[in-house]
Amino acid sequence: MKKNIIISILVVLVVLVAGYFLIEKQNSPVDEGYQGKININEVCNGALAYMTFPDSASAEVFLEECRLGEHPEVIEKFKADMNLGAGAEI
């Protein structure tokens, strides 16, 4: 009989602790804003997916120019696609 009471108390405590964590998780604020800076290397590499080049040498030239900031349209497209707005930093 005493063993059943101890097990019942432990089960109630486990349920209370689990309920607390579930409620606390639901009440925690969710930050939906972009955190950090844009990785220019990844943005330029990603641009290769929607661009065409006559050969690999011209693709390499484009990547180097893009990484140096000579193709701002790639960054602007990325920011527009990701809904980052004007405040995102490189």
Side-chain angles (χ1 to χ4, degrees), residues 5-83:
I5 293 173
I6 292 173
I7 291 174
S8 298
I9 290 172
L10 287 175
V11 168
V12 169
L13 285 174
V14 168
V15 168
L16 288 174
V17 169
Y20 170 77
F21 283 113
L22 288 174
I23 291 171
E24 193 62 34
K25 184 177 180 181
Q26 289 175 351
N27 291 338
S28 63
V30 176
D31 184 15
E32 295 178 3
Y34 186 79
Q35 300 277 326
K37 293 183 178 183
I38 297 172
N39 184 338
I40 189 68
N41 293 328
E42 294 302 317
V43 173
C44 292
N45 287 340
L48 294 177
Y50 61 84
M51 298 184 75
T52 56
F53 299 95
D55 54 32
S56 63
S58 50
E60 290 295 326
V61 170
F62 169 80
L63 280 175
E64 190 60 36
E65 290 174 350
C66 182
R67 290 177 181 143
L68 294 173
E70 296 177 17
H71 294 282
E73 69 277 3
V74 172
I75 297 164
E76 293 305 316
K77 180 179 179 352
F78 175 79
K79 289 181 358 185
D81 289 348
M82 298 299 288
N83 258 349

